[in-house]
């Protein structure tokens, strides 16, 4: 009997469907070893020696795993393919290969104990839980990647050093029960700093000038003969956003131009294109789910985990936009069969992640089969939870759209010259755009406003039916919501795909921030903690 060990019971249940009776698939229920909770567990003076213990809650499961391992001819470690999964596999190998000789046991279990040669371990990885992927992984096992294990350990040690050194400092200076963390404290500072910007903000007033132009003097002309234009230049100088600061200045321009006409000095017509976005990575999935579905990052990851473990999507903790050649071919075939040749790109569209930190060995988050179409679109993909349906549809749409042709628009840019009564020269602009070919927008709906302009010619004069000024006030920077906070953390290289949801949950749970109308506000405690750490 061969023993296959994964992290979660749902994952083990799905994999079991693809393997025969020669395999026993079981779950470790996450990590089987960790640093001690009661002390630091890291000795920086001894080359950062790490002490690992089996947590009390994991002890019964470890005993069961050892019992199952003792009967197995082979142990296959099939945990996730990221750093965390590699570390879990390594810890499992350490625990399951420990000698039964009690005399050789010690209370301390340090990092990198040698694996007993008599135990036959294999490490397999896969990006999707499908029969083909599982069997390919079993046919191509590898050794545990100690570089990934060390990377996870380094991050865990940093977490421990920051948390266990700074948290007592906060207890001493503010009050007990507070915590600091490598990522959570930076997230808190971003929110607190933004609140400071909002408090210090002083609004400024400015004015804009717009004109309604008609192709003829007949004010009952059809709507297509109306052009709305915005003031762009005065005497050859571009007006900055805050250029017209007073109502008096705005009224002077309106009076100067009222009752006159404008002549078309420039007419540009061209085709413009809009490209589809790449398929999701963890951070963009969380952002889109927050913006489009109103899901918290924690909820998004919980639902995505369920979809992954049941074999419907690829691994959801990734920062790579890679797509396998098989998935590209499957998407092209589905598009060709469903919408025809013009909606299927000749070659699959390949994306590249610009971040130097991306793990390009992974794939993007995508459906395991493009043919598993969401039920709302007439397909068979349906789940028990409405929210699972919504998230799967979002992932499916984004992936399919990424493999469709770009959308094209017919764009028109017009500039109008006007001479004021004072002799000042003004230039107004108007822009129009109409959809020519929807392309990927057929699957990935995006808000855009078509604005059609009438047939115009250079040198043509239009009458000024109306001209008016509008008062505006500058606004403070918006408070972060989940999507914008995750985007900012990612942009600055803070945290990893797996850290965003628990980080946000932590600062909310610690009462450092609160959500009001979907936006983060620092609490009094949060500001005290941030000021002290800063």
């Amino acid at each position: 009997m061969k023993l296959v060990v994964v992290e979660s019971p749902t994952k083990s249940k799905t994999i079991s469907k693809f393997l025969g009776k020669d395999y026993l698939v079981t779950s470790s229920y996450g990590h089987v070893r960790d640093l001690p909770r009661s002390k630091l567990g890291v000795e920086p003076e001894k080359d950062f020696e790490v002490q690992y213990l089996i947590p009390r809650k994991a002890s019964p499961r470890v005993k069961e795993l050892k019992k199952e391992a003792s009967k197995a001819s082979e142990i296959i470690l099939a945990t996730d393919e990221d750093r965390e999964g590699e570390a879990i596999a390594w810890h499992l190998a350490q625990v399951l290969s420990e000698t039964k000789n009690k005399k050789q046991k010690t209370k301390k279990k340090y990092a990198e104990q040698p694996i007993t040669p008599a135990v036959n371990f294999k490490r397999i990885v896969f990006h999707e839980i499908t029969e083909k992927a599982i069997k390919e992984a079993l046919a191509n096992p590898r050794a545990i990647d100690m570089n990934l294990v060390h990377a996870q350990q380094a991050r865990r040690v940093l977490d421990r050093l920051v948390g266990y050194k700074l948290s007592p400092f906060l207890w001493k200076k503010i009050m007990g029960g507070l915590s600091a963390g490598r990522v959570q404290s930076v997230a808190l500072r971003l929110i607190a700093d933004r609140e400071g910007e909002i408090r210090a903000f002083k609004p400024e007033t400015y004015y804009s000038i717009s004109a309604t132009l008609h192709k003829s003097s007949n004010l009952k002309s059809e709507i297509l003969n109306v052009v709305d234009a915005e003031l762009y230049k005065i005497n050859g100088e571009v007006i900055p956003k805050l250029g017209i600061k007073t109502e008096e200045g705005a009224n002077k321009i309106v009076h100067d131009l009222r009752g006159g006409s404008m002549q078309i000095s420039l007419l540009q017509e061209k085709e413009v294109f809009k490209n589809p976005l790449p398929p999701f990575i963890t951070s963009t999935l969380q952002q889109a789910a927050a913006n489009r579905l109103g899901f918290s990052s924690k909820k998004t990851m919980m639902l995505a985990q369920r979809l992954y473990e049941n074999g419907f999507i690829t691994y959801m903790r990734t920062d790579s936009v890679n797509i396998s050649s098989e998935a590209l071919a499957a998407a092209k075939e589905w598009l060709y069969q469903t919408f025809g040749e013009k909606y299927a790109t000749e070659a699959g569209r390949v994306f590249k992640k610009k971040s130097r930190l991306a793990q390009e060995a992974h794939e993007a988050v995508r459906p395991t089969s493009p043919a598993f179409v969401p039920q709302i679109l007439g397909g068979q993909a349906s789940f028990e939870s409405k929210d699972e349906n919504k998230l799967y549809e979002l992932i499916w749409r984004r992936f399919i759209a990424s493999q469709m042709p770009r959308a094209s628009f017919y764009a028109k840019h017009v500039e109008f010259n006007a001479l004021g009564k004072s002799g000042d020269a003004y230039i107004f602009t108007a822009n129009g755009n109409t959809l020519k070919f929807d392309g990927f927008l057929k699957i990935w709906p995006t808000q855009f406003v078509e604005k059609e302009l009438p047939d115009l010619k250079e040198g043509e004069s239009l009458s000024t039916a109306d001209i008016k000024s509008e008062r505006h006030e500058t606004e403070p920077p918006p408070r972060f919501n989940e999507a914008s906070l995750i985007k900012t953390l990612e942009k600055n290289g803070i945290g990893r795909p797996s850290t965003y949801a628990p980080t946000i949950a932590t600062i909310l749970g610690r009462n450092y921030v609160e959500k009001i109308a979907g936006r983060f506000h620092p609490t009094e405690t949060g500001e005290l903690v941030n000021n002290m750490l800063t």
Side-chain angles (χ1 to χ4, degrees), residues 100-137:
K100 294 182 180 180
N101 188 340
K102 293 183 179 180
K103 292 181 181 179
Q104 294 182 8
K105 284 191 175 183
T106 61
K107 290 183 179 179
K108 292 185 178 181
K109 297 183 177 66
Y110 292 106
E112 294 199 58
Q113 296 172 351
I115 296 174
T116 307
V119 181
N120 187 6
F121 285 99
K122 286 184 178 178
R123 170 78 171 117
I124 65 169
V125 294
F126 41 83
H127 188 257
E128 57 188 55
I129 304 178
T130 58
E131 185 172 4
K132 181 183 177 184
I134 300 301
K135 290 185 175 177
E136 280 185 3

Side-chain angles (χ1 to χ4, degrees), residues 413-433:
H413 173 75
V414 190
E415 292 187 3
F416 305 88
N417 282 351
L419 190 64
K421 301 181 185 77
S422 65
D424 286 336
Y426 301 90
I427 294 180
F428 283 72
T429 64
N431 293 291
N433 70 304

Side-chain angles (χ1 to χ4, degrees), residues 58-117:
S59 186
R61 187 68 201 125
V62 170
K63 287 180 182 177
E64 285 295 317
L65 288 171
K66 285 185 175 182
K67 185 178 178 181
E68 291 164 349
S70 67
K71 304 172 188 175
S73 59
E74 189 174 271
I75 299 174
I76 300 165
L77 304 172
T79 50
D80 290 341
E81 62 173 330
D82 58 7
R83 295 181 178 97
E84 204 70 30
E86 204 72 20
I88 292 173
W90 177 76
H91 283 297
L92 281 166
Q94 298 295 312
V95 167
L96 298 181
S97 61
E98 285 174 358
T99 176
K100 294 182 180 180
N101 188 340
K102 293 183 179 180
K103 292 181 181 179
Q104 294 182 8
K105 284 191 175 183
T106 61
K107 290 183 179 179
K108 292 185 178 181
K109 297 183 177 66
Y110 292 106
E112 294 199 58
Q113 296 172 351
I115 296 174
T116 307

